[in-house]
Amino acid sequence: TSVLGQARNHIARLNADGTLDAAFNPNANYTIESLAVQADGKILLGGSFTTVGGTTRNYIARVAADGTLDTSFNPNANNSVSSVAVQADGNILLGGGFTTVGGTTRNSIARVATDGTLDTGFNPNVNGSVNGVAVQADGQILLWGFFVTVGGTERNNIARVAADGTL
């Protein structure tokens, strides 16, 4: 709740010399568990929060480089987002404990476009939580967490899916 004696709720940015960047203050109302920086400098936040800067943002949000909320981006997960990763094409992978994104069923892993809309063609369908997501250099996606199946096939706690979401 504070950094270097200054109030900061769950996220802060330090300057290269270790001082607090006083202008950067997204003000999340609860834990941020993951972040990723897009090529354009915007910052994706995933976690257990439900507001950023006083505006409702359920578990996933994007802020500008100055920390202000990007109001055009609102994927709206229904539970925590533990991991955020950006693919080479700019699409955004979300891993967590959610069961819907944007009102559509997605079990613990989803992909959204840069505007926050759900990629309906990507659905690995994991049967438990996804705590981490990483994109390999070849575009394949590693998932890890507390699950035993991916797309109905046994995969205990770690799996790799193709860029299209197939196991």
Side-chain angles (χ1 to χ4, degrees), residues 4-69:
L4 299 172
Q6 297 293 313
R8 287 295 181 274
N9 289 321
H10 308 286
I11 185 169
R13 181 168 59 201
L14 300 179
N15 296 312
D17 65 0
T19 60
L20 180 66
D21 179 345
F24 184 87
N25 189 9
N27 192 28
N29 73 327
Y30 204 65
T31 307
I32 293 174
E33 299 171 25
S34 181
L35 62 85
V37 180
Q38 294 180 203
D40 62 3
K42 291 180 181 176
I43 304 162
L44 297 159
L45 309 173
S48 298
F49 56 84
T50 55
T51 67
V52 174
T55 300
T56 299
R57 282 298 178 270
N58 292 317
Y59 313 106
I60 178 73
R62 182 169 61 197
V63 297
D66 67 2
T68 58
L69 181 66

Side-chain angles (χ1 to χ4, degrees), residues 46-135:
S48 298
F49 56 84
T50 55
T51 67
V52 174
T55 300
T56 299
R57 282 298 178 270
N58 292 317
Y59 313 106
I60 178 73
R62 182 169 61 197
V63 297
D66 67 2
T68 58
L69 181 66
D70 179 349
T71 58
S72 70
F73 182 85
N74 189 12
N76 194 28
N78 74 333
N79 207 333
S80 66
V81 174
S82 303
S83 187
V84 179
V86 180
Q87 293 180 289
D89 63 3
N91 285 324
I92 301 156
L93 297 166
L94 311 174
F98 52 83
T99 57
T100 67
V101 173
T104 301
T105 299
R106 282 298 178 272
N107 293 319
S108 303
I109 180 76
R111 180 167 55 202
V112 297
T114 57
D115 66 0
T117 57
L118 181 68
D119 178 347
T120 57
F122 181 87
N123 188 11
N125 193 24
V126 177
N127 77 333
S129 64
V130 173
N131 295 59
V133 178
V135 181

